[in-house]
Amino acid sequence: DVKVTQSSRYLVKRTGEKVFLECVQDMDHENMFWYRQDPGLGLRLIYFSYDVKMKEKGDIPEGYSVSREKKERFSLILESASTNQTSMYLCASSLGTSTQYFGPGTRLLVL
Amino acid sequence: DQQVKQNSPSLSVQEGRISILNCDYTNSMFDYFLWYKKYPAEGPTFLISISSIKDKNEDGRFTVFLNKSAKHLSLHIVPSQPGDSAVYFCAAIPYNTDKLIFGTGTRLQVFP
C-alpha cells in the first residue's frame, strides 16, 4: 500500500511566522505535489516536483516555496504566514503519469 | 478560469437509489479523468478513472461515463450507501503532463 504521511494534522501559527509542512512517501514515487483545499474552490496546485531538487510552480505559488532534497520528502514552506493561508494542505505523490495518492492533510490556522 | 467544473455543490440521495455526480470540462487536451472521494479531515482517496479512449469504466458499484463530444463526465453509484456520504472531486490530466486539474467538488449525502 502506498503511504503518504504529513508531519502534522493540525497546526496553529501567527502571522509572519515561517511555517514548514513536511510530506514523506514510501513508494519511491518520482512526482510529489502540494495542494491547498478551500471551500468552493476545490484542490488547487501550489507546487510540484518531478525529481530530487526539481520544482515547478503550480497554479497558486505566491507566498510559498518548496524543497525536495530527497526523493521521498517534499517540504512546503510559508516564508511569512498570512491569514489568507489558513487552509487544508494536502500532499500527494505519483509514479509517472498515474494516479496520485494523497496524505491525510494538514489543517493550518494562521492567526 | 475553471477548466473542470462540478456545477452541483451538493447532492442528497436516499439509500439504495442511484447517485449521479456530474463534471464538465473545457480543455480538449485532457486525456485521463479520475474521481476522488474525500471524507472530512482526511486526504482524498482515488475511486475510479477513465481514459479518453473509453466511454465507460465500471468497478463494483461505481461506474464512470465519459462523453467526449459533450466534454462531460459522470460518476454513477448504485446502490448508494450511507458510507458513500463524502465530497467527490473529479479531476483531469492534460495530455503529456502529470498535473491533475481538480473540480470544486460535490458533497454527496446518502440518507437512510
Side-chain angles (χ1 to χ4, degrees), chain B residues 21-40:
Chain B
L21 297 100
N22 292 305
C23 181
D24 297 294
Y25 61 95
T26 57
N27 189 342
S28 57
M29 296 300 287
F30 290 148
D31 69 345
Y32 200 74
F33 302 88
L34 307 92
W35 283 94
Y36 281 84
K37 174 181 178 179
K38 186 181 184 300
Y39 293 117

Side-chain angles (χ1 to χ4, degrees), chain A residues 40-41, chain B residues 1-9 21-27 30 33 35 71-74 88-92 101-106:
Chain A
L41 296 176
Chain B
D1 181 30
Q2 193 74 27
Q3 296 184 66
V4 179
K5 300 176 186 178
Q6 293 176 257
N7 292 317
S8 299
L21 297 100
N22 292 305
C23 181
D24 297 294
Y25 61 95
T26 57
N27 189 342
F30 290 148
F33 302 88
W35 283 94
K71 294 191 175 69
H72 180 80
L73 189 70
S74 63
Y88 290 79
F89 291 97
C90 74
I101 312 293
F102 280 90
T104 52
T106 297

